[in-house]
Amino acid sequence: AQSVTQLGSHVSVSEGALVLLRCNYSSSVPPYLFWYVQYPNQGLQLLLKYTSAATLVKGINDFEAEFKKSETSFHLTKPSAHMSDAAEYFCAVKEAGRRALTFGSGTRLQVQP
Amino acid sequence: DAGITQSPRYKITETGRQVTLMCHQTWSHSYMFWYRQDLGHGLRLIYYSAAADITDKGEVPDGYVVSRSKTENFPLTLESATRSQTSVYFCASSVPGNTEAFFGQGTRLTVV
């Protein structure tokens, strides 16, 4: 069964600093991978997705993620944090042939001025 | 506007009552899903539907019932609400393939 592990339920960075949110998956075959962002009292918005094309995926708001098969990882990065990036971030996986996404437990990003 | 809408946004109900959460999408997506979001658990799948009249259990289906008589609607019913069902519920939709799911704004349900 597929599962997703997000290391660190809370991450705090200073404005302008690098953002790194970690995601590891367990799957028998390379799955499709997604990062979503959730702002307070809102639904989830897609940041980016990996679907077996380029291993470095660029998303909205300067976020990007790199698929590393050898490490079964799909970490999310942003070079310079902005106050508006404060939100909860979810990594999700979908194996080929499955219909639903499986989510990690989420990482709350706090951005300090 | 096109999209996926959930109603109500907030609901307080008493233990033992039946409550239905509504979900409507205007994209004609074949797949629809219900997730619940709880602290420390992320989102967990309750039920999903591949098409009208086709539904299947997810990870945490106990205490919930779904139906899908029309492609655009996917209501979730708590037959006899319990405090453990206090949560934020998200409806989502997608199309077949390696595609993402699109989420509604959520319903915050409190069972007292």
Side-chain angles (χ1 to χ4, degrees):
Chain A
Q2 56 190 328
S3 67
V4 182
T5 302
Q6 291 185 239
L7 293 175
S9 58
H10 289 82
V11 171
S12 182
V13 300
S14 299
E15 191 173 19
L18 171 72
V19 175
L20 171 60
L21 305 182
R22 300 178 187 274
C23 173
N24 288 87
Y25 67 91
S26 67
S27 175
S28 56
V29 295
Y32 305 119
L33 295 156
F34 307 83
W35 274 99
Y36 282 84
V37 61
Q38 183 184 30
Y39 298 103
N41 296 317
Q42 294 190 24
L44 279 72
Q45 302 173 30
L46 182 71
L47 271 179
L48 48 81
K49 63 181 180 182
Y50 167 75
T51 57
S52 74
T55 56
L56 183 63
V57 181
K58 294 189 182 296
I60 61 173
N61 299 334
D62 295 328
F63 282 96
E64 63 181 37
E66 186 172 9
F67 172 67
K68 291 187 176 180
K69 182 179 177 181
S70 61
E71 299 177 7
T72 61
S73 69
F74 191 56
H75 302 331
L76 182 71
T77 60
K78 180 172 179 174
S80 176
H82 194 272
M83 296 297 290
S84 60
D85 295 326
E88 184 133 25
Y89 292 80
F90 292 95
C91 182
V93 62
K94 182 162 70 170
E95 284 187 351
R98 296 184 72 94
R99 292 167 176 167
L101 301 177
T102 298
F103 284 86
S105 55
T107 298
R108 183 165 297 277
L109 176 66
Q110 191 175 23
V111 182
Q112 307 282 1
Chain B
D1 283 341
I4 185 165
T5 55
Q6 294 182 235
S7 60
R9 289 293 312 277
Y10 303 91
K11 176 75 176 177
I12 299 174
T13 192
E14 294 178 339
T15 301
R17 289 195 179 268
Q18 182 182 83
V19 61
T20 296
L21 310 183
M22 305 301 292
C23 179
H24 175 78
Q25 53 109 352
T26 59
W27 292 307
S28 298
H29 286 173
S30 54
Y31 293 162
M32 295 188 75
F33 311 90
W34 275 107
Y35 289 88
R36 59 177 290 173
Q37 182 181 19
D38 303 290
L39 197 62
H41 291 280
L43 279 78
R44 292 180 291 175
L45 183 67
I46 305 171
Y47 268 95
Y48 65 97
S49 168
D53 297 322
I54 301 175
T55 62
D56 211 343
K57 296 179 180 179
E59 182 185 352
V60 289
D62 293 344
Y64 303 95
V65 174
V66 293
S67 62
R68 195 160 175 214
S69 57
K70 293 183 178 181
T71 300
E72 61 266 30
N73 296 324
F74 191 39
L76 176 74
T77 298
L78 288 67
E79 295 185 295
S80 178
T82 65
R83 289 200 179 96
S84 65
Q85 293 177 309
T86 291
S87 186
V88 181
Y89 291 85
F90 285 101
C91 180
S93 70
S94 73
V95 296
N98 60 353
T99 60
E100 67 271 30
F102 297 86
F103 284 80
Q105 295 286 76
T107 294
R108 183 175 295 275
L109 177 68
T110 302
V111 183
V112 298

